[in-house]
Amino acid sequence: MRKKVIAGNWKMNMLPNETINFIEQFAPLVKDTKNEVILCVPFTDLFYALLHVQGTNIKIGAQNMHWEEKGAYTGEVSAQMLKSIGTEYVIIGHSERRQYFAETDETVNKKIKSALAVGLKPIVCVGETLEQRENGKTEEIVTNQVEKAFEGLNLEDLSKIIIAYEPIWAIGTGKTATKEEANETIAQIRKKIAKMYSQKEADEIIIQYGGSVKASNAKELFEMSDIDGGLVGGASLKPDEFSKIVNFDK
Ligand code: PEP
């Protein structure tokens, strides 16, 4: 049976003092959950977040990384750098990075390999635009993104990866995919994983839904058969709201 994994993506929000305040309020609210709880914070908050989640059940992730180990890449941060301070997860291929920072399926693939090489667990984002959905292309687009992202990965790698299915038209727009739409696309991703690897891997891999998840819709989404929790943007910035999402099953 797959566990539910709920990750917050703070994007470019929160200063260190806000991070510390957030964790102090949030940690007691989620301490009894059996769901996995992750906060993906800006680089400048990572160290503070890692210090302040000690002794709690909250895991910390970054939101991006470079695929090279080191070198002349001004402004970039490597997987090893993230790992060295205790970061456990890293979001890779978020649609905002694909859209604004020229992230491609190829760079996503390189980043996943680099993260895995140092023991960082990737949260790999895939998703279609509204136009692609309206043209009936969702399955083709999303499974193609998965195929390219996972190129060259072997069976053992899969258990360390989370996929986040995030329809681009639902991110930050207040428009959520219906629970049926989200479940159907996630089931299609599982079918693709079964084809690429095996049914066992398809049944075991964690696949989240992301796109305007809030306390009021988390339960109906996360209770669907193929949806294993969520990647949550805006609603993860408020301790009370995010704790209700994490505790959707209480
Ligand atoms: C996200 O940033 O991954 C996201 C899903 O954002 P929001 O929940 O705000 O739509």
Side-chain angles (χ1 to χ4, degrees):
M1 171 104 165
R2 297 183 301 267
K3 64 182 169 189
K4 303 287 179 186
V5 181
I6 293 127
N9 172 16
W10 281 2
K11 313 193 185 193
M12 198 169 72
N13 293 292
M14 304 287 255
L15 299 174
N17 62 325
E18 294 170 318
T19 300
I20 295 165
N21 288 340
F22 180 103
I23 291 168
E24 278 170 5
Q25 289 177 51
F26 179 66
L29 302 175
V30 298
K31 69 177 176 22
D32 296 324
T33 184
K34 54 182 188 347
N35 304 324
E36 187 150 336
V37 192
I38 308 167
L39 294 175
C40 295
V41 307
F43 290 135
T44 45
D45 293 330
L46 277 173
F47 193 69
Y48 299 92
L50 285 159
L51 277 182
H52 286 267
V53 298
Q54 279 180 24
T56 76
N57 54 339
I58 303 166
K59 313 275 174 62
I60 297 298
Q63 301 170 13
N64 182 35
M65 50 166 271
H66 197 275
W67 60 85
E68 292 291 349
E69 267 175 54
K70 56 167 82 168
Y73 302 100
T74 303
E76 293 292 334
V77 171
S78 73
Q80 181 70 57
M81 289 169 179
L82 295 175
K83 183 71 182 168
S84 70
I85 59 167
T87 311
E88 205 170 317
Y89 289 90
V90 60
I91 298 175
I92 294 180
H94 191 281
S95 60
E96 287 155 14
R97 294 217 54 89
R98 293 182 192 250
Q99 193 179 345
Y100 306 133
F101 303 99
E103 192 110 319
T104 64
D105 289 329
E106 288 68 37
T107 60
V108 167
N109 177 254
K110 286 193 213 175
K111 288 181 181 193
I112 295 172
K113 287 177 177 159
S114 174
L116 291 171
V118 301
L120 266 181
K121 298 177 202 156
I123 301 174
V124 181
C125 302
V126 296
E128 81 287 2
T129 62
L130 187 57
E131 198 189 349
Q132 289 162 340
R133 175 160 284 269
E134 286 173 348
N135 289 331
K137 298 256 182 242
T138 301
E139 180 172 9
E140 181 189 331
I141 295 290
V142 168
T143 56
N144 193 37
Q145 286 172 335
V146 170
E147 184 170 351
K148 290 189 168 147
F150 283 26
E151 202 177 299
L153 300 187
N154 54 39
L155 273 186
E156 302 85 76
D157 294 328
L158 280 213
S159 61
K160 296 163 204 135
I161 296 176
I162 293 173
I163 298 175
Y165 165 58
E166 300 206 306
I168 295 168
W169 48 272
I171 297 180
T173 58
K175 273 192 209 159
T176 316
T178 64
K179 58 187 198 288
E180 291 83 12
E181 283 169 335
N183 201 57
E184 183 188 28
T185 306
I186 291 178
Q188 289 164 347
I189 297 173
R190 268 188 220 292
K191 210 168 79 195
K192 179 73 181 181
I193 299 283
K195 255 197 217 154
M196 290 170 69
Y197 295 91
S198 76
Q199 191 58 47
K200 181 173 179 291
E201 269 61 42
D203 290 338
E204 287 178 358
I205 192 161
I206 302 288
I207 311 183
Q208 302 171 311
Y209 166 76
S212 299
V213 173
K214 353 182 215 305
S216 58
N217 60 19
K219 186 174 166 70
E220 62 173 53
L221 286 160
F222 299 171
E223 280 181 353
M224 295 300 283
S225 58
D226 281 281
I227 305 180
D228 304 326
L231 182 56
V232 183
S236 72
L237 293 167
K238 296 188 192 108
D240 189 51
E241 172 85 3
F242 193 41
S243 71
K244 287 184 184 144
I245 297 174
V246 169
N247 293 322
F248 75 94
D249 48 356
K250 289 239 156 65

